[in-house]
Amino acid sequence: MKSWLPIPASSHFSLSNLPFGIISTSTQVKQRPAVAVGDYVLDLSAFAHGAGFSKLAPDLQQKTDVFAQATLNGFAALGRPYHRAIRNYLQEVFREDTPYPEVLKTNNALRQAALVPLSKTQVHLPLAIGDYTDFFAGRNHAFNVGTLFRGPANALQPNYNHLPVAYHGRASSVVISGTPLRRPWGQALPAPGADTPVFRPSARLDMELELGMFVCRGNALGEPIPLHEAEDFIFGYVLMNDWSARDIQQWEYVPLGPFNAKNFGTTISGWVVLADALEPFRTEGLKNEVELHPYLRNKRTDNILDIQLEVSITTTKGNKTTVTKTSSKNLLWSWPQMLAHHTIAGCNLRPGDLFGSGTISGLDAGTHGSFLEQTQGGKVPIKLEGGGERKFVEDGDTITITGWAVGTDGEIVGFGDCVGQILAAFPTVHSQK
């Protein structure tokens, strides 16, 4: 799909992609929806105001007021057929042989108003997140970590292959890529074998390589989402770093699971890649050997997305080291299965709810999605470019997650970067007087 707008071949934001996000600029601080295309964004508020949707079907034009809103929740709630129609229309507008040249290609006034260099925008959280659920669908990660603590024979808990395990995270601390986070304070055991905790900044701060999925439709309280309908509830995907304080987590997670070890921050990338854009990259995931209950049985076999994923660490000296290369094929559970299981007891989802995949890891060295796995619990340090090493994330370190897929035509469908830097813990934590 060649465009009249120059799009670098290496761009994550090709015409095959057109991800949606929320931007502001120095000249217009109001947050509004946009689409990333090459090195530019199309300001959808300005585009709509300038009659950019004039060639869209009239019934679809009536709903373009959602592009004046400060989040993508309204757009998401219109459903996948509407998302598909808008994306297809914008692809037509940007095509070199566009049937609508007067809309943007030859409309200098609208181009000047609506096309903004990506470098001159600030990207914000794309949706208002009401709830956030983090799954544990990366079986290799579950096995790797379970082996560290319980040995290979007992690495996976008995329920793991029977249902998509998850915990409810904290939506308020989900932050956009580029937002620094403080190292958390918490209770942790000072040494192996100790039974009395100390209170300190986390000494084993980790990252977790994940994908995130935004829900576009809600279901009524008490009414589960059938697996065969679950695809219709998927808006799109982002990259995710579910930061984890391993020492705090080890002490607090029994019996009710993660709490402060996770809720200090979760970083996501800013551009939502629509579900339709990733349809060409469906594939088979990890095979499940158990007989599933009917509500979790997929009829299709290509239920997992094949997205290439990389993680790098950049130190305060500027040295950057790629530490992970893996694929999202390393998931046991599909997003529709997660949706079906999440609602099977009657839980009602809402547009803007965020799901995390859980850490995505391979089994080989260099494919692990967390430092905990890579360093075997801190026993084998990661060697860094320019010297130095890491067992866990140190103050000043920046973690960058990148993800993309390449189509048969060579066009890239990517997410951009998911970037987060860890700052030192607050110097003091006030105690009760």
Side-chain angles (χ1 to χ4, degrees):
M1 254 188 291
K2 198 170 181 181
S3 176
W4 52 262
L5 181 72
I7 300 176
S10 60
S11 174
H12 279 204
F13 307 137
S14 66
L15 281 194
S16 294
N17 191 357
L18 297 185
F20 288 70
I22 296 293
I23 64 160
S24 64
T25 59
S26 59
T27 57
Q28 189 175 350
V29 296
K30 180 182 177 181
Q31 296 179 20
R32 66 270 191 196
V35 163
V37 51
D39 293 331
Y40 292 84
V41 303
L42 179 67
D43 181 336
L44 292 174
S45 177
F47 186 69
H49 183 73
F53 290 108
S54 60
K55 301 300 181 180
L56 194 64
D59 59 321
L60 300 179
Q61 286 188 48
Q62 295 174 6
K63 302 175 182 177
T64 55
D65 58 345
V66 295
F67 297 126
Q69 298 176 6
T71 71
L72 293 176
N73 292 65
F75 174 54
L78 292 175
R80 282 190 65 170
Y82 192 78
H83 311 155
R84 184 178 303 122
I86 294 296
R87 176 170 168 268
N88 290 344
Y89 176 77
L90 294 177
Q91 286 176 327
E92 292 288 289
V93 167
F94 277 106
R95 270 176 38 198
E96 186 174 57
D97 58 346
T98 174
Y100 318 122
E102 69 277 18
V103 169
L104 197 62
K105 183 179 181 180
T106 61
N107 188 336
N108 291 330
L110 187 53
R111 286 176 63 175
Q112 186 172 1
L115 270 181
V116 183
L118 183 59
S119 60
K120 293 186 177 181
T121 64
Q122 182 176 352
V123 181
H124 305 271
L125 281 176
L127 291 98
I129 304 168
D131 284 293
Y132 159 46
T133 303
D134 196 27
F135 283 83
F136 198 38
R139 186 172 61 186
N140 294 333
H141 169 72
F143 179 81
N144 294 337
V145 173
T147 298
L148 285 174
F149 295 106
R150 297 183 295 275
N154 299 301
L156 297 179
Q157 298 288 358
N159 66 349
Y160 187 84
N161 291 314
H162 291 272
L163 56 84
V165 175
Y167 74 94
H168 287 288
R170 182 71 185 177
S172 65
S173 55
V174 177
V175 298
I176 193 68
S177 174
T179 306
L181 290 169
R182 291 274 187 178
R183 180 179 298 272
W185 287 77
Q187 291 190 28
L189 295 177
D195 55 12
T196 302
V198 296
F199 181 64
R200 69 183 185 199
S202 173
R204 293 164 67 90
L205 185 57
D206 203 355
M207 53 76 57
E208 290 191 350
L209 166 61
E210 302 194 22
L211 287 177
M213 182 273 286
F214 278 107
V215 173
C216 65
R217 289 177 53 194
N219 60 302
L221 180 67
E223 297 183 10
I225 297 172
L227 185 60
H228 69 276
E229 296 180 9
E231 297 275 3
D232 294 335
F233 289 75
I234 298 175
F235 177 48
Y237 303 91
V238 292
L239 301 174
M240 177 184 291
N241 184 347
D242 184 37
W243 301 92
S244 300
R246 300 297 187 188
D247 46 350
I248 298 173
Q249 182 178 0
Q250 185 178 6
W251 174 243
E252 74 175 3
Y253 85 101
V254 178
L256 295 181
F259 183 35
N260 287 329
K262 298 277 191 176
N263 68 13
F264 65 95
T266 300
T267 305
I268 62 170
S269 55
W271 295 101
V272 181
V273 179
L274 293 184
D276 274 22
L278 290 174
E279 278 293 311
F281 308 105
R282 295 175 71 122
T283 187
E284 293 186 31
L286 302 179
K287 188 175 181 180
N288 199 331
E289 304 293 344
V290 305
E291 180 73 14
L292 297 177
H293 285 277
Y295 79 96
L296 289 172
R297 293 178 192 166
N298 282 312
K299 291 184 178 180
R300 298 182 61 162
T301 58
D302 59 341
N303 296 296
I304 303 296
L305 300 173
D306 185 5
I307 299 167
Q308 301 306 304
L309 298 164
E310 289 189 2
V311 180
S312 65
I313 178 172
T314 304
T315 67
T316 53
K317 295 181 179 180
N319 296 319
K320 186 175 182 178
T321 306
T322 299
V323 296
T324 299
K325 292 183 179 182
T326 189
S327 166
S328 60
K329 289 192 298 184
N330 289 299
L331 292 176
L332 177 66
W333 299 101
S334 70
W335 298 102
Q337 286 174 314
M338 296 181 216
L339 280 159
H341 184 66
H342 199 306
T343 61
I344 194 62
C347 177
N348 55 319
L349 303 179
R350 294 170 291 188
D353 284 356
L354 176 64
F355 285 18
S357 64
T359 305
I360 301 171
S361 295
L363 292 173
D364 301 323
T367 66
H368 300 142
S370 69
F371 282 27
L372 180 66
E373 297 165 86
Q374 291 194 47
T375 66
Q376 297 179 33
K379 297 175 183 177
V380 183
I382 299 169
K383 302 297 182 182
L384 303 181
E385 297 290 338
E389 58 187 29
R390 288 290 184 277
K391 295 182 179 179
F392 290 95
V393 181
E394 296 186 3
D395 293 347
D397 288 346
T398 298
I399 301 296
T400 301
I401 299 174
T402 307
W404 70 94
V406 182
T408 55
D409 56 1
E411 289 205 328
I412 299 172
V413 176
F415 297 81
D417 294 336
C418 177
V419 181
Q421 184 182 37
I422 292 299
L423 305 180
F426 279 109
T428 58
V429 173
H430 298 291
S431 60
Q432 185 176 358
K433 294 183 180 179

